[in-house]
Amino acid sequence: APEKPVLLTGASGTIGRLLSTRLAALGWTLRLTDIVPLPIPLPDGASFTIADIEDQQAVDNLSNGCGLILHFGGISTEQSFETVLGPNFRGAFHIYEAARKEKARVVFPSSVHAVGLYERTEILDQDCVLRPDGYYGLSKAYGEMLARLYFDKHAVESVLIRIGSVLPEVPDERILSTWISHDDFVRLIERCAAAEKVDCSVIWGQSNNSRGFWRNDAREKLGWAPLDSSDSQAERVRGKVTDNPVVERYQGGKFIVVDYSRDG
Ligand code: 15L
């Protein structure tokens, strides 16, 4: 387990709850925070503080003495620009300011939605041009650039995980491509903490799925490789698709059709 405490924002969210439970079980000292109460019992060795990441002072207080910040706070779905602005843009800035002051490493969850307007037939490399599919995806693209700025200018290290879908199992055909198992995801977070040097690295957050959209990332530098695969679930979800051709065309799936207005 990391020597210094680890700050986890968004602890009450889907990924936050998973990480709170699993990392605490590994003996990590966690400082949990969210804007809403933790909906699970407080794990051993963890503290929980209600805070708003739009408040720099609150983020600084929580980060004090931490060597690693897992920044899972913010909006996680497609919403209006004004809704995404405070939590995801200003909030992420506050996290990076705190990381700079603490010399802490950051794990920033980018998303498939930062590249969501690539078609599903395209195989993407880590250096691809980002093609966000909405304001949420735009906030993830911004987060990646924010991380880059803080690395180049202040030597703040980051792992940018372009997460597909963190779910216990695959619900539909699209997620055969984007799925990352809970075990692969937790192992990845362990490597983000343990790797000696991460610089500003991009990881495609997917299991070893033969239908994956992505290849080439910094996994060797981190010492991580996924052990699971969605392939064994393909039979169970066959035919589980939407009836919307736009949703089915792009990697981002249903987020794209929010206010979509392109004709062809
Ligand atoms: C995401 O970025 C979302 O936060 C999550 O709720 C899923 O919708 C996921 O992407 C996905 O597209 O599968």
Side-chain angles (χ1 to χ4, degrees):
E3 273 171 37
K4 291 183 175 180
V6 173
L7 176 62
L8 172 62
T9 70
S12 304
T14 311
I15 295 179
R17 279 173 278 153
L18 170 72
L19 292 180
S20 301
T21 309
R22 297 280 297 265
L23 299 176
L26 292 169
W28 289 34
T29 304
L30 296 174
R31 236 178 251 174
L32 309 176
T33 185
D34 204 294
I35 199 167
V36 297
L38 193 68
I40 56 170
L42 188 65
D44 286 344
S47 60
F48 178 79
T49 310
I50 293 256
D52 186 347
I53 55 174
E54 289 190 58
D55 176 351
Q56 180 77 72
Q57 191 58 55
V59 172
D60 287 355
N61 293 344
L62 284 162
S63 308
N64 186 34
C66 290
L68 177 65
I69 304 176
L70 309 174
H71 178 44
F72 287 83
I75 302 284
S76 65
T77 55
E78 181 55 2
Q79 305 284 337
S80 73
F81 181 76
E82 290 298 330
T83 303
V84 173
L85 178 59
N88 289 24
F89 287 82
R90 192 168 285 122
F93 166 67
H94 291 157
I95 295 298
Y96 273 89
E97 274 295 281
R100 178 179 64 78
K101 294 171 203 163
E102 289 297 324
K103 302 193 187 307
R105 183 179 290 182
V106 180
V107 171
F108 179 79
S110 185
S111 167
V112 54
H113 297 287
V115 293
L117 279 169
Y118 280 99
E119 297 198 7
R120 293 190 192 179
T121 49
E122 291 179 276
I123 301 296
L124 310 183
D125 183 270
Q126 61 176 341
D127 298 323
C128 68
V129 170
L130 299 181
R131 296 174 80 178
D133 60 27
Y135 300 118
Y136 166 71
L138 184 66
S139 76
K140 295 303 189 180
Y142 152 84
E144 292 198 19
M145 285 295 98
L146 181 65
R148 183 67 58 187
L149 168 66
Y150 274 70
F151 179 64
D152 289 343
K153 197 161 175 174
H154 306 297
V156 172
E157 287 197 309
S158 288
V159 181
L160 308 174
I161 311 174
R162 294 190 187 138
I163 306 175
S165 310
V166 178
L167 293 169
E169 54 177 37
V170 174
D172 59 31
E173 283 196 0
R174 167 178 173 269
I175 292 178
L176 288 171
S177 303
T178 58
W179 191 64
I180 180 165
S181 72
H182 282 182
D183 287 348
D184 280 343
F185 189 69
V186 171
R187 281 189 287 261
L188 170 56
I189 300 298
E190 285 187 81
R191 292 309 307 160
C192 291
E196 197 181 323
K197 195 166 127 73
V198 302
D199 299 325
C200 184
S201 292
V202 172
I203 296 287
W204 292 110
Q206 62 183 343
S207 283
N208 200 11
N209 312 329
S210 60
R211 294 163 185 77
F213 303 137
W214 312 316
R215 66 173 176 215
N216 298 337
D217 62 13
R219 60 192 52 190
E220 274 179 32
K221 178 152 68 180
L222 262 71
W224 175 76
L227 302 178
D228 297 326
S229 166
S230 67
D231 293 8
S232 59
Q233 301 178 63
E235 196 60 43
R236 184 173 49 77
V237 300
R238 178 167 304 157
K240 289 204 174 172
V241 294
T242 69
D243 55 11
N244 186 328
V246 175
V247 170
E248 297 304 324
R249 180 168 161 194
Y250 294 110
Q251 297 190 6
K254 66 182 186 333
F255 282 32
I256 283 151
V257 291
V258 179
D259 294 333
Y260 186 84
S261 71
R262 185 177 256 275
D263 292 333

Coordinates of all heavy atoms in Angstrom, one line a residue, residues 76-77 111-113 136 163-165 174-175 178 252 254-255, ligand 1:
S76 N -20.6 12.6 -14.6 CA -20.2 11.4 -15.3 C -21.1 11.1 -16.5 O -21.0 10.0 -17.1 CB -20.1 10.2 -14.4 OG -21.4 9.9 -13.9
T77 N -22.0 12.0 -16.8 CA -22.9 11.8 -18.0 C -23.0 13.0 -18.8 O -22.5 14.1 -18.4 CB -24.3 11.4 -17.4 OG1 -24.7 12.5 -16.6 CG2 -24.3 10.1 -16.7
S111 N -12.0 9.4 -20.6 CA -13.2 8.5 -21.0 C -13.2 8.2 -22.5 O -12.7 9.0 -23.3 CB -14.5 9.3 -20.6 OG -15.6 8.7 -21.1
V112 N -13.9 7.1 -22.8 CA -14.3 6.9 -24.2 C -15.0 8.1 -24.8 O -14.9 8.3 -26.0 CB -15.2 5.6 -24.3 CG1 -16.4 5.7 -23.4 CG2 -15.7 5.4 -25.7
H113 N -15.6 8.9 -24.0 CA -16.3 10.1 -24.5 C -15.4 11.2 -25.0 O -15.8 12.1 -25.6 CB -17.4 10.5 -23.6 CG -18.4 9.4 -23.4 ND1 -19.3 9.1 -24.3 CD2 -18.6 8.5 -22.4 CE1 -20.1 8.1 -23.9 NE2 -19.6 7.7 -22.8
Y136 N -19.5 16.7 -21.7 CA -18.8 15.8 -20.7 C -17.5 15.3 -21.3 O -16.4 15.4 -20.7 CB -19.8 14.6 -20.4 CG -19.1 13.4 -19.7 CD1 -18.6 13.5 -18.4 CD2 -18.8 12.2 -20.4 CE1 -18.0 12.5 -17.8 CE2 -18.2 11.2 -19.8 CZ -17.7 11.3 -18.5 OH -17.1 10.2 -17.9
I163 N -11.2 5.6 -19.8 CA -12.0 4.5 -19.4 C -13.1 4.2 -20.3 O -13.8 5.1 -20.8 CB -12.6 4.8 -18.0 CG1 -11.5 5.2 -17.0 CG2 -13.3 3.6 -17.5 CD1 -12.0 5.6 -15.6
G164 N -13.3 3.0 -20.7 CA -14.4 2.5 -21.4 C -15.6 2.4 -20.5 O -16.3 3.5 -20.2
S165 N -15.9 1.3 -20.0 CA -17.1 1.0 -19.2 C -16.7 0.1 -18.0 O -16.3 -1.0 -18.2 CB -18.2 0.4 -20.0 OG -18.4 1.1 -21.2
R174 N -22.2 -3.0 -27.6 CA -21.1 -2.0 -27.6 C -20.1 -2.2 -26.5 O -18.9 -2.0 -26.7 CB -21.8 -0.6 -27.4 CG -20.8 0.5 -27.1 CD -21.4 1.9 -26.9 NE -20.5 2.9 -26.5 CZ -20.3 3.2 -25.2 NH1 -21.0 2.5 -24.2 NH2 -19.5 4.1 -24.8
I175 N -20.5 -2.6 -25.4 CA -19.7 -2.7 -24.2 C -18.8 -3.9 -24.3 O -17.8 -4.0 -23.5 CB -20.5 -2.5 -22.9 CG1 -20.9 -1.0 -22.9 CG2 -19.7 -2.8 -21.6 CD1 -21.8 -0.5 -21.7
T178 N -15.8 -1.9 -25.0 CA -15.3 -0.8 -24.0 C -15.1 -1.4 -22.6 O -14.6 -0.7 -21.7 CB -16.3 0.3 -24.0 OG1 -17.6 -0.1 -23.6 CG2 -16.3 1.1 -25.3
G252 N -18.8 6.4 -28.8 CA -19.4 7.0 -27.6 C -20.8 6.5 -27.3 O -21.3 6.7 -26.2
K254 N -24.7 6.2 -26.7 CA -25.9 7.0 -26.6 C -25.6 8.4 -26.1 O -26.5 9.3 -26.3 CB -26.9 6.3 -25.6 CG -26.4 6.1 -24.2 CD -27.6 5.4 -23.5 CE -27.5 5.2 -22.0 NZ -26.3 5.2 -21.2
F255 N -24.4 8.8 -25.6 CA -24.1 10.1 -25.2 C -24.2 11.1 -26.5 O -24.5 12.3 -26.4 CB -22.7 10.3 -24.6 CG -22.6 9.9 -23.2 CD1 -23.4 8.8 -22.7 CD2 -21.7 10.5 -22.3 CE1 -23.3 8.4 -21.3 CE2 -21.6 10.1 -21.0 CZ -22.3 9.1 -20.5
Ligands
15L1 C1 -18.6 7.2 -19.2 O1 -17.7 8.0 -19.3 C2 -19.7 7.3 -18.2 O2 -19.2 8.0 -17.0 C3 -20.3 6.0 -17.8 O3 -21.4 6.2 -17.0 C4 -20.6 5.1 -19.0 O4 -21.7 5.7 -19.7 C5 -19.4 5.0 -19.9 O5 -18.7 6.2 -20.2 C6 -19.7 4.4 -21.3 O6 -19.9 5.1 -22.3 O7 -19.9 3.2 -21.3

